[in-house]
């Protein structure tokens, strides 16, 4: 149980274009979803937290107009990187928690999406 | 803000050896979590600890939630090659409808050459 998927697993895009990454909880309803980015050989850095039906809460230093987060249902959150630039190239990982089904506050992570901006 | 110190940063293992790593914090957490991340993958939850003093096992893995609530350790007994990867500790303070994780910098396990 507590499986989270991400799509796509990797994407290459040209500078200036936008990219959408999907995060789905497959076997539970996620009350909260989190988006992280991870640079090589570093730990995970929280970008934003989103509750279903609410606006996302962004961490300090994360541009909310650049990283658009939508959490329209209890099983789907999307992260759109707008006007991507090479410095946005990174490994983006989502996670989900569910208080509805007794999973507690521990987060279950997706497999990640490797974004390369050329 | 809260910070976690995870050590060691890296270590080499030989098959069959026991491995130990730990995390300490400047402040208390309600929950400690241990994750393992393989290259190009997302972290996988190994063990979750909810009470100070709690000792929990998952197969060859054992983790403890320190009495002071400011530290936790993870032991791996009789290591095998597939234990190689990066292990992250994470502290969690929950409140309201969500809880944010604070991650350690990770311990990288590699095989001894």
């Amino acid at each position: 149980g507590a499986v989270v998927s991400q799509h796509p697993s990797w994407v290459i895009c040209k500078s200036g274009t936008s990219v959408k990454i999907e995060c789905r909880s497959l076997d539970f309803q996620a009350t909260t979803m989190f988006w992280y980015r991870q640079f090589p050989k570093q730990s995970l850095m929280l970008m934003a937290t989103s509750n279903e039906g609410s606006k996302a809460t962004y961490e300090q230093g994360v541009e909310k107009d650049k990283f658009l987060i939508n959490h329209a249902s209890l099983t789907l959150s999307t992260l759109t990187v707008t006007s991507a630039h090479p410095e946005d190239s990174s490994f983006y990982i989502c996670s989900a928690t569910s208080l509805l089904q007794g999973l507690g506050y521990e987060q279950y992570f997706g497999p990640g999406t490797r974004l390369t901006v050329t | 803000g809260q910070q976690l110190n995870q050590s060691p940063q890296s270590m080499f293992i030989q098959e069959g050896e026991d491995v130990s790593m730990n995390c300490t914090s400047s402040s208390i957490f309600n929950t400690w979590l241990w994750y393992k991340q393989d290259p190009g993958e997302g972290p996988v939850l190994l063990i979750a600890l909810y009470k100070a003093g709690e000792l929990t096992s998952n197969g060859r893995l054992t983790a403890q939630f320190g009495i002071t609530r400011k530290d936790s350790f993870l032991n791996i007994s009789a290591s095998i090659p597939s234990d190689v990867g990066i292990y992250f500790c994470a502290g969690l303070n929950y409140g309201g409808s969500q809880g944010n994780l604070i991650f350690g910098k990770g311990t990288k396990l590699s095989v001894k050459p």
Side-chain angles (χ1 to χ4, degrees):
Chain A
V3 179
V4 177
S5 71
Q6 274 183 249
H7 178 79
S9 55
W10 60 270
V11 57
I12 302 173
C13 71
K14 291 187 177 179
S15 187
T17 62
S18 295
V19 173
K20 181 185 283 188
I21 302 170
E22 292 185 350
C23 176
R24 293 181 186 273
S25 56
L26 298 185
D27 54 358
F28 66 101
Q29 292 182 319
T31 44
T32 305
M33 285 185 166
F34 303 81
W35 286 95
Y36 296 82
R37 66 187 298 182
Q38 185 178 34
F39 292 106
K41 299 184 180 180
Q42 292 191 22
S43 189
L44 288 79
M45 184 187 80
L46 180 65
M47 298 175 65
T49 302
S50 72
N51 293 302
E52 182 260 341
S54 302
K55 286 185 179 179
T57 301
Y58 290 81
E59 294 298 298
Q60 193 172 11
V62 178
E63 301 174 57
K64 60 181 180 181
D65 293 331
K66 181 170 184 63
F67 298 100
L68 301 179
I69 291 172
N70 184 280
H71 191 168
S73 77
L74 283 171
T75 59
L76 174 64
S77 176
T78 59
L79 167 68
T80 301
V81 183
T82 62
S83 187
H85 290 286
E87 57 265 30
D88 298 324
S89 299
S90 188
F91 193 51
Y92 292 87
I93 314 174
C94 71
S95 71
T97 62
S98 177
L99 300 179
L100 294 177
Q101 292 160 265
L103 292 179
Y105 285 91
E106 58 264 26
Q107 295 179 23
Y108 295 88
F109 286 84
T113 296
R114 172 74 58 193
L115 170 64
T116 302
V117 184
T118 61
Chain B
Q2 291 178 306
Q3 292 186 355
L4 292 187
N5 294 313
Q6 185 172 350
S7 64
Q9 286 187 331
S10 63
M11 57 194 308
F12 289 90
I13 59 173
Q14 198 152 40
E15 189 169 353
E17 286 182 340
D18 294 345
V19 171
S20 185
M21 61 192 79
N22 69 82
C23 272
T24 59
S25 168
S26 56
S27 51
I28 63 174
F29 286 106
N30 300 127
T31 300
W32 281 94
L33 305 170
W34 284 93
Y35 290 88
K36 181 185 179 219
Q37 186 177 27
D38 291 326
E41 299 287 336
V44 173
L45 181 64
L46 299 174
I47 292 180
L49 302 160
Y50 304 103
K51 293 181 184 178
E54 179 181 355
L55 184 71
T56 297
S57 293
N58 178 7
R60 293 179 296 106
L61 307 177
T62 302
Q64 183 158 33
F65 191 150
I67 288 289
T68 64
R69 294 167 64 191
K70 292 184 179 181
D71 63 303
S72 176
F73 72 75
L74 174 71
N75 286 344
I76 305 173
S77 63
S79 58
I80 59 178
S82 60
D83 290 334
V84 163
I86 301 178
Y87 292 79
F88 290 102
C89 63
L92 173 63
N93 280 327
Y94 44 83
S97 61
Q98 62 195 44
N100 287 359
L101 290 179
I102 309 295
F103 279 91
K105 293 185 185 295
T107 295
K108 182 178 180 181
L109 252 59
S110 306
V111 176
K112 268 183 189 173

